[in-house]
Amino acid sequence: MKNDRLLRFWRIPLTLVCALLLLIPTTSLAKAKYHWRFQCAFAEADLSYKLQTVEVAKLIEKASEGQIKVDTYSAGALVGPEELFGAVADGTIELGLNMSMAETEFIPEAMFLSIHGGPRNMEELYEYQYKTDLFGLVQEAYREKGAHLLASVGTGRIMIRARKTGILNSWDTFKGTKGFASPQIIPVLTKLGGICVDVPGYDMYSAMKLGTIDWHEWTIAELESLGWKEVTKTLLISPPTFVGACNVFINLKAWEALGPELQKKIQTTVIDNLLEIGQKYVDENSKALEASKKYGVEFVKMPDADIAKFTQLCVEDWDNLSK
């Protein structure tokens, strides 16, 4: 009887201990969950948000199989566009997307991901970026500044557009005019006589409408998505300055917390789908060109001699960049 009472006394604790022991393997195998904030440097209507930021976020979530939840934000929602890289590097937010050219202030090597006068289309851009050692070298530069470069996503051709007719007929008519340009193309356009200035918040619509600038350089789709065709009289079809790209970067500690297996899944999934995302951007660029032409924007091609002069200056500038 005494033994029976002792057994009854210990039965409940022993049952609890056994239950806890059974839970230990389950708990240790539970996968960690992550919640990332992903801000784009551009407005919600910009394709760099609608296509690139949103689509990359979906790919990250898919590759993680539910481990990572990504919330996307447009320009200024969490931090200012000019603060974006620093906010990712210091862990204020986990992910950012910005023009490759805008990152050169922090990562000079980023300019090589979309070089002026280089690749002519999306396929050539990705061949140049990912089939060489280039992407890995730029990743190392990002890592030194506290971020992991996940991908460089193409935007299609970058073209100059002007608020008045005649400005883009030749480099002679271009001389003395004022506009916004990508950092890596500024030396070339300056040699051709252009005066390159900053535009706060990338508000090209207001700057063109008010006459603060005579021209600016940007991706094509925003002529339609942001209404920039309304303040554009001419579009320089040839020469295009380069094929643009936006970079996706992740806080280094957030990236390293994932471990090699999950890192590889995400990196591979995103890069394998870049061409599809890029093609969607190209399709939107084509629609914007058609809509702009119907709106009355004049398409301009410079004389062959001017095109050759632009290409020559780009090649000369490549030598300067490599020094």
Side-chain angles (χ1 to χ4, degrees):
M1 291 291 291
K2 184 178 180 181
N3 288 340
D4 287 344
R5 285 198 300 271
L6 286 172
L7 285 173
R8 283 198 301 270
F9 179 77
W10 287 107
R11 185 174 295 152
I12 293 174
L14 283 171
T15 302
L16 289 172
V17 170
C18 291
L20 288 171
L21 288 171
L22 288 171
L23 284 174
I24 288 172
T26 304
T27 304
S28 64
L29 293 175
K31 294 182 178 179
K33 300 285 186 180
Y34 305 94
H35 190 177
W36 286 354
R37 294 153 297 176
F38 186 3
Q39 184 175 307
C40 176
F42 310 107
E44 192 171 345
D46 195 295
L47 288 187
S48 286
Y49 177 78
K50 292 196 296 184
L51 279 182
Q52 296 178 324
T53 304
V54 172
E55 292 297 321
V56 169
K58 289 177 182 178
L59 290 171
I60 291 171
E61 290 183 338
K62 180 181 178 181
S64 75
E65 298 179 343
Q67 280 188 254
I68 304 174
K69 174 72 171 66
V70 183
D71 292 333
T72 59
Y73 302 88
S74 56
L78 302 176
V79 297
E82 68 282 353
E83 302 168 320
L84 187 56
F85 181 81
V88 171
D90 68 19
T92 302
I93 59 176
E94 288 74 30
L95 291 98
L97 179 144
N98 204 351
M99 291 178 288
S100 182
M101 64 180 189
E103 294 304 298
T104 58
E105 179 182 351
F106 312 100
I107 315 288
E109 294 86 347
M111 74 175 65
F112 293 104
L113 290 172
S114 55
I115 196 163
H116 47 294
R120 296 164 295 179
N121 53 51
M122 207 69 74
E123 289 79 6
E124 288 187 6
L125 176 69
Y126 290 149
E127 188 79 19
Y128 163 74
Q129 290 179 330
Y130 297 107
K131 302 299 182 182
T132 66
D133 295 331
L134 175 64
F135 188 72
L137 292 172
V138 181
Q139 275 187 317
E140 290 178 13
Y142 270 81
R143 186 178 185 85
E144 289 175 3
K145 296 296 177 69
H148 172 73
L149 177 63
L150 181 65
S152 186
V153 193
T155 62
R157 292 177 296 168
I158 307 293
M159 293 181 175
I160 301 175
R161 64 292 309 264
R163 60 186 294 268
K164 294 180 180 179
T165 57
I167 291 175
L168 302 177
N169 289 348
S170 69
W171 295 125
D172 285 336
T173 58
F174 180 76
K175 285 179 182 177
T177 61
K178 187 166 56 174
F180 174 89
S182 313
Q184 65 263 51
I185 198 69
I186 287 176
V188 172
L189 294 181
T190 300
K191 287 178 182 178
L192 291 167
I195 302 168
C196 298
V197 298
D198 290 329
V199 174
Y202 304 133
D203 185 6
M204 305 303 166
Y205 188 101
S206 298
M208 292 275 275
K209 187 173 183 177
L210 296 173
T212 308
I213 56 174
D214 301 303
W215 53 268
H216 73 273
E217 179 205 42
W218 205 268
T219 46
I220 303 165
E222 285 65 39
L223 285 165
E224 182 66 13
S225 64
L226 297 180
W228 289 354
K229 67 184 180 186
E230 298 169 9
V231 291
T232 299
K233 290 293 184 182
T234 58
L235 178 69
L236 185 59
I237 296 295
S238 184
T241 53
F242 62 101
V243 176
C246 285
N247 296 341
V248 180
F249 41 95
I250 304 174
N251 173 265
L252 189 58
K253 290 182 179 178
W255 177 251
E256 290 181 337
L258 302 182
E261 185 178 350
L262 187 51
Q263 287 174 352
K264 184 177 180 180
K265 283 182 182 179
I266 292 171
Q267 188 80 66
T268 302
T269 299
V270 171
I271 290 180
D272 285 351
N273 285 274
L274 287 183
L275 200 55
E276 182 179 343
I277 296 174
Q279 188 55 52
K280 289 179 181 178
Y281 213 121
V282 169
D283 292 343
E284 293 299 320
N285 287 342
S286 298
K287 292 176 186 177
L289 285 175
E290 185 178 347
S292 297
K293 194 169 187 178
K294 288 180 180 178
Y295 189 79
V297 175
E298 178 187 358
F299 291 3
V300 177
K301 179 182 177 181
M302 284 190 177
D304 290 344
D306 283 28
I307 296 173
K309 185 177 183 180
F310 173 78
T311 303
Q312 179 184 350
L313 287 174
C314 285
V315 172
E316 290 174 1
D317 198 51
W318 296 349
D319 293 335
N320 294 330
L321 292 174
S322 63
K323 292 178 182 177

